[in-house]
Amino acid sequence: MPKKARDGTDTSGLLHYLYGPGKRDEHVDPHLVAAWDPYIEDPARSPNMTLTDLALILDAPVHALPGRKPDRHVYHVAVRNPPEDRQLTDEEWARVARELMHAAGIDPRGDDQGCRWVAVRHADDHIHIVATRARQDGRQPDISWDIVKMHDVARRFEIEFGLRRLTHGDKTARKWSRTGETEKAARRGLQETARETLQRTVREAAAAATSDSDFFDRIGAAGVRVQQRIAPDGNITGYSVALPGDRDGRQQPVWFSGSRLAADLSLPRVRERWQKAAAVQPIAPAEAWKVAEAKVREAAAQLGAGGLHQGAGDVAALGDLVVVAAVISPRLVRGRIRDAAREFERASRAPAARSLEGQARGLYRESAQVLSRSVAAAGRSDTAAALGFLLALVTAVEASRRWHEAQEHRAQAHAAGRAGRLLREAVEVTAGAAAAREYKPRQKKATVARTRTGQRLAAAGERPMAGIVQQAVPSHAQAVLADPAWPALRGRLTQIERDGEDPADVLATVAARRELHTVDSVAEVLTWRLDGWRKQRGAAAAATGKSPSATSVGHAGSTGPARKTGVPAPTLRPPENEQRKGPKRTR
């Protein structure tokens, strides 16, 4: 992925940085992999060349230009390889650098009067190309559309080298935080940058709003500063947002316009959401999840049925629905659904004109309004109530993935697939929590705990977990034990046994909650359900003030006498802490 930096003025300073240790000692073995002249010596490996010498050689054509020199003559491109791809060799990076400089117009192939450039590698996954914008014949290079041409070259190398294939720019990619914003957040101890916080906050407000005033009110209620851009005729033509306390070097608020946050957060695009009002009838909060589920299932069957433009409008509304679901979803899975909404963001922006009249779009908007207006539905019993809706949402996201694939929107299809996986995980965690909520533990004898088959329940860690799987899910045992996710499942079962519960009984309970014959990985699904089980049991124990083991196994394994209720146990101090005792308290 080539990324062009701003033109600069200091060739020597840039080279010293690239060959130096970096800001956090992240530069490892800086060296030259390619240059305009194959006989240029590497300053890192030759005593006859210094960085200052190399900078002077690169800048020589600039100083020789007749008349006015370029204000910013340093041309800088970073080319990065994704971490999931294989590591390229120096020779492969050299080929990439030469082809990129040819495509950009810096050093056309076969032209011995092109600009001078070098490619420096100081990490496994990327190189930096430094060039000077002055040809050796005294003319300026033609670098029009340089970044677009370099991306075309990168796509060809992805095929040749067998790397992950990216998509040509379609103006739908997420706008990432800049390096300075990331460093600023790290200095302030924040988990995300101001841009990312504002993106999420504004998107949540836009997904649930029904008018301009409602939209701006929601942003303000979220604790974000907002200012409107008002035309002379009194109409609102745009807006900007800022985080309180986020200031620049002049101590001025750092404002972001909606279009700077995301392509679909400009005010005209935000207004598309309520251009056609959703007809929502007042319903009881307890019925909100069921009503939304029915609408989502109906819309999933109709997604994209009206053609490309209608499908683009449908997936945009589905993206808002996932965002709303993340806001009011059960706390148990809220983080996963929020991650799914973040992943689906690219899938909600199809590179096509949008029809705002599609039936699926209307149903998705109605579902979002039903849920956003029924906050009371996210009450104590929402985990079980939300399960059907989440299943419907998985179906809708999968339908959007198939539609994107049919339209050859590769990046959007991949984004929908990642979001679908996170939603499936949320479904299984919710199913496990629902099973734990309805679970009625059997009272066992205090002396010896036994399983449902009458066998003695061993102490924690005493029984092999493979036997537990054979006992609880015999029809899936072979597939589970051969699954790469089996170690994770074994760890969950061991922890459940340490909590004082019967792992075989628990595993059989969560396995019976939903079918397992159509899942790709039974072990992974059971792991997710056990995660939900443990979280629900832990929450219930915290609410009642009891430990999970006391609730589930009836104090199995306890050998000492029962302590009387209301009598506190004496506090024991180690001998070495005796000197730290304070004066005795008196009544």
Side-chain angles (χ1 to χ4, degrees):
M1 177 61 72
K3 183 178 181 181
K4 183 180 175 182
R6 292 181 180 179
D7 292 342
T9 60
D10 187 1
T11 306
S12 178
L14 179 56
L15 288 176
H16 276 84
Y17 169 74
L18 296 178
Y19 274 90
K23 296 181 178 179
R24 301 180 182 85
D25 294 327
E26 70 273 18
H27 296 175
V28 179
D29 186 25
H31 61 279
L32 211 65
V33 295
W36 85 99
D37 184 342
Y39 298 104
I40 289 294
E41 296 183 73
D42 185 358
R45 299 178 179 179
S46 172
N48 302 320
M49 179 70 72
T50 66
L51 292 175
T52 303
D53 293 337
L54 181 58
L56 290 173
I57 295 173
L58 287 170
D59 286 341
V62 178
H63 298 308
L65 284 175
R68 183 181 177 182
K69 309 296 188 293
D71 293 333
R72 294 180 174 272
H73 67 277
V74 181
Y75 186 90
H76 179 200
V77 177
V79 193
R80 187 174 299 276
N81 198 32
E84 59 268 24
D85 282 341
R86 68 175 179 85
Q87 181 177 326
L88 301 184
T89 65
D90 282 355
E91 291 74 19
E92 288 172 326
W93 277 122
R95 282 193 57 204
V96 171
R98 294 188 189 99
E99 290 299 320
L100 291 179
M101 291 297 94
H102 163 70
I106 293 292
D107 187 16
R109 192 183 303 112
D111 185 355
D112 59 358
Q113 297 298 311
C115 300
R116 297 181 177 183
W117 60 271
V118 293
V120 180
R121 182 179 189 180
H122 56 208
D124 292 336
D125 61 350
H126 70 276
I127 61 172
H128 291 264
I129 304 176
V130 181
T132 47
R133 294 180 54 179
R135 290 172 52 86
Q136 299 179 72
D137 57 8
R139 296 186 292 118
Q140 292 287 324
D142 180 11
I143 58 172
S144 56
W145 298 95
D146 54 344
I147 191 64
V148 176
K149 296 174 183 177
M150 285 191 286
H151 274 274
D152 289 337
V153 171
R155 304 294 83 78
R156 295 199 300 268
F157 274 116
E158 288 165 0
I159 299 173
E160 179 182 346
F161 292 162
L163 308 177
R164 182 167 67 94
R165 296 178 61 186
L166 302 182
T167 307
H168 286 281
D170 56 9
K171 306 299 183 182
T172 64
R174 183 183 182 88
K175 295 190 177 182
W176 299 100
S177 300
R178 297 176 178 175
T179 303
E181 296 170 359
T182 304
E183 294 175 349
K184 183 179 182 179
R187 289 195 304 269
R188 299 177 64 187
L190 302 177
Q191 296 182 349
E192 60 183 4
T193 65
R195 183 191 296 266
E196 292 170 329
T197 302
L198 293 172
Q199 281 177 342
R200 174 170 46 80
T201 303
V202 174
R203 188 172 298 281
E204 291 174 357
T210 57
S211 64
D212 283 15
S213 59
D214 187 21
F215 172 61
F216 292 121
D217 288 345
R218 288 177 182 271
I219 294 177
V224 172
R225 300 181 63 182
V226 57
Q227 62 180 10
Q228 303 171 4
R229 187 168 63 250
I230 302 177
D233 60 1
N235 292 323
I236 302 175
T237 59
Y239 71 97
S240 297
V241 289
L243 280 182
D246 184 29
R247 299 182 178 275
D248 57 17
R250 298 173 297 174
Q251 295 302 308
Q252 297 297 317
V254 180
W255 294 97
F256 291 85
S257 64
S259 58
R260 283 184 61 197
L261 294 177
D264 56 344
L265 291 182
S266 64
L267 188 57
R269 290 290 302 275
V270 168
R271 282 172 170 162
E272 289 180 356
R273 292 164 165 85
W274 52 81
Q275 181 169 326
K276 184 178 180 181
V280 178
Q281 299 296 329
I283 58 173
E287 299 295 321
W289 293 109
K290 294 181 180 179
V291 172
E293 175 188 350
K295 291 180 181 293
V296 171
R297 292 191 182 279
E298 182 182 354
Q302 301 174 3
L303 191 148
L308 176 61
H309 292 176
Q310 191 174 108
D314 294 345
V315 295
L318 177 57
D320 285 344
L321 176 59
V322 180
V323 170
V324 170
V327 173
I328 69 167
S329 59
R331 191 176 300 276
L332 190 71
V333 293
R334 190 170 300 167
R336 289 178 173 86
I337 301 179
R338 180 167 286 175
D339 290 341
R342 179 184 175 88
E343 291 290 351
F344 193 78
E345 182 183 323
R346 180 88 185 260
S348 67
R349 295 192 290 264
R354 296 162 303 285
S355 170
L356 308 181
E357 305 297 328
Q359 187 169 1
R361 176 183 174 87
L363 289 169
Y364 287 139
R365 287 292 297 161
E366 291 173 12
S367 301
Q369 291 300 315
V370 164
L371 292 178
S372 62
R373 295 181 184 181
S374 303
V375 180
R380 185 173 181 181
S381 62
D382 62 349
T383 304
L387 180 58
F389 169 77
L390 292 178
L391 284 167
L393 202 57
V394 170
T395 303
V397 170
E398 177 61 22
S400 73
R401 185 190 65 80
R402 293 194 299 268
W403 179 82
H404 278 303
E405 286 183 343
Q407 309 302 322
E408 298 184 355
H409 300 158
R410 190 164 61 242
Q412 284 80 2
H414 289 165
R418 293 191 298 269
R421 174 180 170 78
L422 288 166
L423 286 173
R424 285 192 294 273
E425 182 178 349
V427 165
E428 301 302 343
V429 170
T430 304
R437 176 170 292 177
E438 299 172 4
Y439 180 67
K440 303 249 187 244
R442 299 186 308 277
Q443 292 294 328
K444 300 186 176 83
K445 294 181 180 180
T447 55
V448 179
R450 298 182 180 275
T451 65
R452 58 173 64 174
T453 59
Q455 297 176 347
R456 175 183 174 274
L457 180 62
E462 185 177 322
R463 288 187 295 172
M465 290 302 146
I468 297 297
V469 175
Q470 293 280 359
Q471 177 184 343
V473 284
S475 59
H476 298 285
Q478 185 175 359
V480 168
L481 297 178
D483 198 302
W486 160 238
L489 176 59
R490 181 176 55 202
R492 302 301 194 281
L493 291 171
T494 301
Q495 189 61 51
I496 284 175
E497 189 176 36
R498 288 172 181 166
D499 291 342
E501 299 190 271
D502 182 359
D505 195 22
V506 172
L507 186 61
T509 301
V510 298
R513 187 67 187 182
R514 294 186 62 242
E515 59 87 18
L516 294 169
H517 297 284
T518 60
V519 302
D520 296 330
S521 171
V522 177
E524 189 173 48
V525 167
L526 291 175
T527 301
W528 292 337
R529 294 184 189 178
L530 291 180
D531 285 342
W533 173 283
R534 293 194 65 231
K535 289 183 179 180
Q536 178 61 39
R537 298 288 281 175
T544 58
K546 299 179 181 180
S547 65
S549 59
T551 304
S552 57
V553 298
H555 299 280
S558 176
T559 57
R563 184 179 299 163
K564 294 182 180 181
T565 305
V567 180
T571 302
L572 301 180
R573 292 177 181 265
E576 61 271 16
N577 289 342
E578 188 69 23
Q579 60 182 353
R580 283 185 270 179
K581 290 194 301 182
K584 295 183 179 180
R585 299 176 61 183
T586 58
R587 295 183 179 274

